[in-house]
Amino acid sequence: MSDTTYAVFEELSKRGHEQVVFCSDEASGLKAIIAIHDTILGPALGGCRMFPYASEKEALTDVLRLSRGMTYKAAVSGLDLGGGKSVIIGDPKKQKSELLFRALGRFIEGLGGRYITAEDSGTTMQDMEFMRKETSHVVGISRSFGGSGDPSPVTALGVFSGIQAAVEEHLGKSSLAGLRVAVQGVGHVGYHLVGHLVRAGCKVIVADVDQDSLKKTCTDHKVESVAVDKIYDVECDIFAPCAMGASINEGTIPRLKCSIIAGAANNQLLNEKTDAAMLATKGILYAPDYVINAGGLINVSNELQGYNQEYALQQAEGIYDILKNVFVVAKRENIPTFRAADDLAMQRIEAIQRVRRTYTGMKPTLERTRLRGA
Ligand code: NAD
């Protein structure tokens, strides 16, 4: 990342980041980056990802992108939180240790609560508990420590509520009974989502690369499966991506035989603009991923006030109303649903910022163009 190859400050200002912290600890081998995108609504909350990034630039680009996404997710979900994320450069299968996570915990403690961490891909609840020995600014810890535990059931309930909103909007139905749903990926979230759908009277078809997950889902919920690549061709009302990102793209969209895309996976569209346009042409309604899958964030954020599962579940069900509003705005403004979600998130941040300015005389710290960034 020399001056001539990578302009770090230019990157930060382009995307509107407030602060980026590079963390190095020789004793534990820690190499990590914490990115705080925006704290207008509250402290920046976002998970800690561990991944063997090929380069420091790749790690920085990822943490900048992910932390910015968290700002939008928290804002559209009505949470009083900003957006942040951290990444550890390393192989989660080989390079984890108590020392490593305690070292990162100390860096997080040094930020005095501006950044709150949580579990993400490559990290576990155990890793969060190591960090908790050094900082209180960590959520997603186990129920036995007063934490919120596994967020997946809450995420699944949020996705289910979002599917109900999409069905009412696009198919004009208040019940899911009799609808066909293709679920791609039946891991932590997909498994629970299938349970909700079956109880609601849907006919569910699933696919997963992992035979154990597939067998468990098919046995427990009595649903049928198809081969991994065939899931795109299933005739259905709803396609629910609950595996990896980018499964909706120019190669898969022509194959889809659904009316609605609504699932848990992050970054479902490979190329937001062109994929959204292709979906619109096919008359498919897309429930923006970061809106419909916000149950996990909602769940961990509840730890900050003292975890109450009943309240977290109730809040996750609120995704129904949030998504309905996204659809209303998209229709009214004639814009894609992902853009409507971004606009709603942005409007909330701006409104809070205006209130602060009015009542405290504070100057705004961020302009709309900066926050939207690239
Ligand atoms: P998971 O790893 O438990 O489950 C994903 C499943 O998808 C696995 O069973 C995996 O075998 C399967 N899979 C992978 N590639 C596949 C493919 N090509 N075709 C079919 N199946 C495939 O993950 P999860 O926690 O259930 O999360 C699912 C998605 O939702 C991820 O994109 C995650 O980022 C997102 N998400 C999860 C949460 C949460 O609370 N867990 C919250 C928000 C978003």
Side-chain angles (χ1 to χ4, degrees):
M1 281 193 292
S2 72
D3 271 359
T4 49
T5 57
Y6 200 57
V8 175
F9 280 104
E10 203 177 302
E11 277 300 306
L12 305 194
S13 101
K14 200 163 78 184
R15 293 189 168 95
H17 285 78
E18 290 179 11
Q19 186 179 9
V20 175
V21 183
F22 289 81
C23 314
S24 169
D25 178 67
E26 287 227 352
S28 64
L30 176 76
K31 283 196 178 79
I33 310 173
I34 301 169
I36 297 177
H37 177 252
D38 184 63
T39 56
I40 290 173
L41 296 181
L45 195 155
C48 169
R49 178 168 287 194
M50 185 165 182
F51 188 77
Y53 292 100
S55 67
E56 292 167 13
K57 184 180 171 190
E58 194 182 297
L60 179 62
T61 305
D62 205 30
V63 78
L64 294 180
R65 181 180 66 82
L66 294 166
S67 54
R68 179 173 170 273
M70 293 307 294
T71 297
Y72 284 83
K73 186 182 246 193
V76 82
S77 305
L79 300 172
D80 295 325
L81 290 168
K85 205 89 180 182
S86 53
V87 295
I88 299 174
I89 303 172
D91 186 340
K93 291 203 178 89
K94 296 184 192 143
Q95 287 167 275
K96 277 191 182 182
S97 68
E98 176 180 353
L99 274 190
L100 185 96
F101 287 101
R102 290 185 75 146
L104 182 56
R106 281 196 297 282
F107 280 106
I108 292 170
E109 181 64 15
L111 289 167
R114 275 173 57 72
Y115 169 66
I116 302 166
T117 197
E119 208 179 309
D120 201 273
S121 67
T123 60
T124 63
M125 219 182 285
Q126 166 75 79
D127 304 331
M128 298 306 113
E129 279 154 22
F130 287 143
M131 287 206 254
R132 192 169 163 267
K133 294 182 185 189
E134 304 292 339
T135 180
S136 57
H137 306 301
V138 48
V139 289
I141 52 175
S142 70
R143 297 294 275 274
S144 52
F145 284 115
S148 58
D150 178 10
S152 311
V154 184
T155 304
L157 180 66
V159 174
F160 178 69
S161 303
I163 287 176
Q164 289 176 308
V167 164
E168 189 168 294
E169 171 72 23
H170 205 50
L171 306 179
K173 293 185 176 176
S174 57
S175 161
L176 302 190
L179 296 182
R180 285 171 64 86
V181 190
V183 180
Q184 180 185 44
V186 284
H188 288 93
V189 180
Y191 174 84
H192 292 288
L193 176 64
V194 171
H196 286 295
L197 294 167
V198 168
R199 286 189 292 277
C202 296
K203 161 94 177 139
V204 182
I205 303 97
V206 302
D208 199 297
V209 288
D210 183 272
Q211 291 308 307
D212 292 338
S213 303
L214 196 61
K215 199 169 160 203
K216 181 172 163 50
T217 305
C218 292
T219 309
D220 291 0
H221 298 305
K222 302 190 176 37
V223 292
E224 285 171 24
S225 67
V226 291
V228 168
D229 191 50
K230 290 277 173 273
I231 195 77
Y232 299 108
D233 306 310
V234 170
E235 293 255 12
C236 58
D237 299 288
I238 301 135
F239 182 80
C242 297
M244 312 306 285
S247 70
I248 309 299
N249 54 56
E250 61 178 3
T252 58
I253 294 171
R255 293 169 59 186
L256 293 174
K257 298 182 182 71
C258 62
S259 306
I260 290 165
I261 295 175
N266 278 312
N267 306 314
Q268 291 170 26
L269 306 183
L270 177 64
N271 184 329
E272 275 186 339
K273 275 189 200 147
T274 53
D275 295 337
M278 279 178 86
L279 292 176
T281 307
K282 284 191 73 160
I284 297 175
L285 178 68
Y286 169 64
D289 46 16
Y290 73 82
V291 182
I292 194 168
N293 73 14
L297 175 64
I298 289 170
N299 194 53
V300 291
S301 73
N302 266 272
E303 277 182 41
L304 300 171
Q305 294 89 39
Y307 187 66
N308 175 332
Q309 192 183 34
E310 202 181 318
Y311 184 64
L313 290 168
Q314 206 181 315
Q315 251 189 315
E317 282 177 325
I319 288 174
Y320 175 94
D321 291 319
I322 295 168
L323 212 41
K324 286 284 272 191
N325 199 25
V326 168
F327 296 143
V328 167
V329 171
K331 206 180 257 178
R332 190 183 64 215
E333 308 291 328
N334 195 22
I335 53 177
T337 51
F338 81 85
R339 180 66 65 209
D342 283 2
D343 285 356
L344 281 165
M346 197 58 236
Q347 280 160 19
R348 179 160 179 257
I349 295 170
E350 285 177 339
I352 304 286
Q353 200 176 28
R354 264 197 307 276
V355 169
R356 295 242 179 88
R357 207 169 14 177
T358 308
Y359 293 104
T360 65
M362 257 173 66
K363 279 235 156 76
T365 53
L366 219 51
E367 298 303 328
R368 184 181 178 112
T369 44
R370 267 193 67 210
L371 186 59
R372 286 201 74 113

